[in-house]
Amino acid sequence: MNTTELETMIRTILSEKMGQQGVAASSGSSALFSDVDSAVKAARAAYESYMQCSLQTRRDIISKIRSELEPLIPQMSEDAARETGMGNAADKILKNRAALLNTPGVEDLTTIALTGDNGMTLFELSPFGVIGAIAPSTNPTETIMNNCISMLAAGNAVYFSPHPGAKNVSLCLIEKIEHIIFDVCGIRNLVVSVSEPTFAATQEMMAHPDIAVLAVTGGPAIVNMAMKSGKKTIGAGAGNPPCIVDETACMRKAAKDIINGASLDYNVPCIAEKSVIVVDCVADELISCMVNYGALLVKNPADVVKLRNTVINEKGDANKKFIGKSPAVIAKAAGLQCEFEPKIIIVEVPKDDLLVMVEQLMPVLPIVRVSDFDTALELALVVEQGLHHTAIMHSENVSRLNKAAKMMQTSIFVKNGPSYAGISVGGEGFTTFTIATPTGEGTTSAKTFARSRRCVLTNGFSIR
Ligand code: NAD
């Protein structure tokens, strides 16, 4: 028997042994537990085994996750759209593919070495332990795949709290990922959840002593709750991305990019353009290009009122019934005449309109006319509300682009492209579905989910 064969045999025996332990711990169904405490404890035990694995094992796990899940994406996307009643399968395929194939793995963990007369100091990125990851209903499977790859690459185990409204598709995915991990390295329960994900379960998880870090992707309520938990929190909260268009931009390209960005998955992505702020002298041209590109323009004042009353409820919040619904469904509900299948609904409104200030998550794009670029930037700051999320700008003026990028202080700033270029769909860089806004990590990846540790060797290993 040669070395490779011997190694394979040992691996198989170890896999089976560890697998049996894991199944016993999970009382039957691996990955999904009947209670939070058992799930977290099983993930903690799995983490301790995972700590002994090589970086190559982590790479192998991620590579298998990508290859095994890729063929399942069309079905997963359809299931997510059907179960949540939000967005559409075709766009979800695009988002899921980006999450699965373009989230960086172990290569994201770079070591820094300092050497000198006093020796060598290393800064290494090591795991936290079990991460409590909370996923939204708007990108349920995208967030799970993206978080899984990032967190496992950094050496962690993960407890997922999926949104109850996306329970079936999320739990099915978590189980599949858990099985893939087991197949590769023989460790059970590295990714877990509970079979009934409820808000109460999420709260219990947040308070569990074996949860080392919280990674929360969702609205302001849950992010604030996590930040008060006393645990380290990576908080990816709400946004309200404004899109500035000045008179130097190419209007045809701006119109096309804005519609593509704002209509993606019926505008549920947190990064999608939520309003347009355009300089007056080019506003008519921009609107006409948007209409040519498939937007339904609502102009009649009575129709504008009907649209607003449909989209925003009496409390001044987004009407949940229409979050992530198609433009056709929203137009019909608002009693608007439309002879074609619109890509998006556009409407000109004053700057303080609720349609501008409320994160609707619907394919209804308010447009505000302003006198000049400086006024546009001033308004964009108000609309973004200091959420540090995303802003977009179309302009050929480099100084203005630079000024806006600096002033907006958003985690993502896209210049002359659709918003989704900011998560690398048609833009350079890697993909993320957890953009840590209030806590400041920005576009998260493996290194965000790792602890920086300093390892010092005195008097040696400097060979300069
Ligand atoms: P949500 O806040 O309703 O839910 C997010 C998660 O929090 C879910 O898992 C849900 O179960 C949990 N949750 C919510 N309220 C809870 C409670 N009271 N107790 C315990 N758990 C609770 O968000 P959503 O509607 O699913 O997603 C949309 C929101 O998320 C938008 O505001 C969007 O901007 C934001 N979002 C942000 C990012 C980002 O990367 N910054 C990404 C996607 C979505």
Side-chain angles (χ1 to χ4, degrees), residues 155-393:
N156 303 285
V158 195
Y159 174 104
F160 271 111
S161 267
H163 197 287
K167 170 179 115 174
N168 297 324
V169 72
S170 304
L171 295 185
C172 178
L173 177 60
I174 291 164
E175 270 195 298
K176 284 205 165 74
I177 293 173
E178 197 273 349
H179 286 303
I180 294 168
I181 298 168
F182 172 66
D183 279 348
V184 176
C185 71
I187 300 177
R188 285 249 90 116
N189 305 320
L190 207 47
V191 175
V192 296
S193 187
V194 284
S195 39
E196 271 312 318
T198 56
F199 290 157
T202 300
Q203 286 164 7
E204 192 184 338
M205 177 278 282
M206 291 202 295
H208 197 289
D210 281 341
I211 293 289
V213 171
L214 295 170
V216 184
T217 311
I222 187 68
V223 172
N224 288 339
M225 200 186 290
M227 285 170 74
K228 287 185 192 137
S229 69
K231 289 189 193 291
K232 175 182 167 69
T233 298
I234 295 162
N240 195 34
C243 173
I244 298 172
V245 184
D246 82 1
E247 69 279 16
T248 69
C250 165
M251 291 307 134
R252 279 176 53 203
K253 179 173 175 355
K256 188 172 171 208
D257 286 346
I258 293 168
I259 291 183
N260 284 342
S263 64
L264 182 78
D265 212 14
Y266 300 152
N267 201 278
V268 292
C270 54
I271 53 155
E273 292 83 349
K274 298 284 186 283
S275 60
V276 174
I277 303 168
V278 56
V279 172
D280 187 24
C281 62
V282 288
D284 289 336
E285 189 187 349
L286 180 73
I287 291 170
S288 136
C289 289
M290 289 172 96
V291 168
N292 288 341
Y293 198 64
L296 167 66
L297 173 63
V298 178
K299 262 171 53 177
N300 178 314
D303 285 345
V304 176
V305 172
K306 282 195 280 179
L307 178 64
R308 191 186 296 107
N309 290 345
T310 304
V311 168
I312 307 283
N313 67 21
E314 319 76 59
K315 287 199 219 143
D317 299 324
N319 183 350
K320 284 205 162 83
K321 199 171 149 195
F322 294 106
I323 290 182
K325 292 291 184 276
S326 71
V329 165
I330 294 171
K332 189 166 173 222
L336 307 175
Q337 286 292 325
C338 186
E339 307 302 323
F340 62 102
E341 187 83 21
K343 285 192 180 136
I344 198 156
I345 300 171
I346 56 173
V347 54
E348 218 185 302
V349 291
K351 65 178 183 183
D352 50 1
D353 199 292
L354 282 174
L355 289 170
V356 177
M357 297 309 291
V358 173
E359 185 198 29
Q360 302 164 37
L361 302 163
M362 295 176 214
V364 174
L365 193 62
I367 300 175
V368 182
R369 221 178 256 261
V370 291
S371 54
D372 52 41
F373 162 71
D374 285 319
T375 316
L377 178 54
E378 224 169 88
L379 178 58
L381 282 161
V382 175
V383 170
E384 212 278 324
Q385 300 165 36
L387 294 167
H388 301 294
H389 203 297
T390 299
I392 305 99
M393 178 163 165

Side-chain angles (χ1 to χ4, degrees), residues 69 241 447:
L69 294 184
K447 61 171 146 331

Side-chain angles (χ1 to χ4, degrees), residues 370-424:
V370 291
S371 54
D372 52 41
F373 162 71
D374 285 319
T375 316
L377 178 54
E378 224 169 88
L379 178 58
L381 282 161
V382 175
V383 170
E384 212 278 324
Q385 300 165 36
L387 294 167
H388 301 294
H389 203 297
T390 299
I392 305 99
M393 178 163 165
H394 294 268
S395 171
E396 293 296 324
N397 184 316
V398 176
S399 309
R400 288 179 182 174
L401 285 168
N402 196 43
K403 182 174 178 185
K406 191 166 177 186
M407 297 290 289
M408 289 305 299
Q409 302 247 334
T410 45
S411 303
I412 297 178
F413 188 83
V414 178
K415 308 178 190 82
N416 296 322
S419 52
Y420 50 69
I423 54 165
S424 102

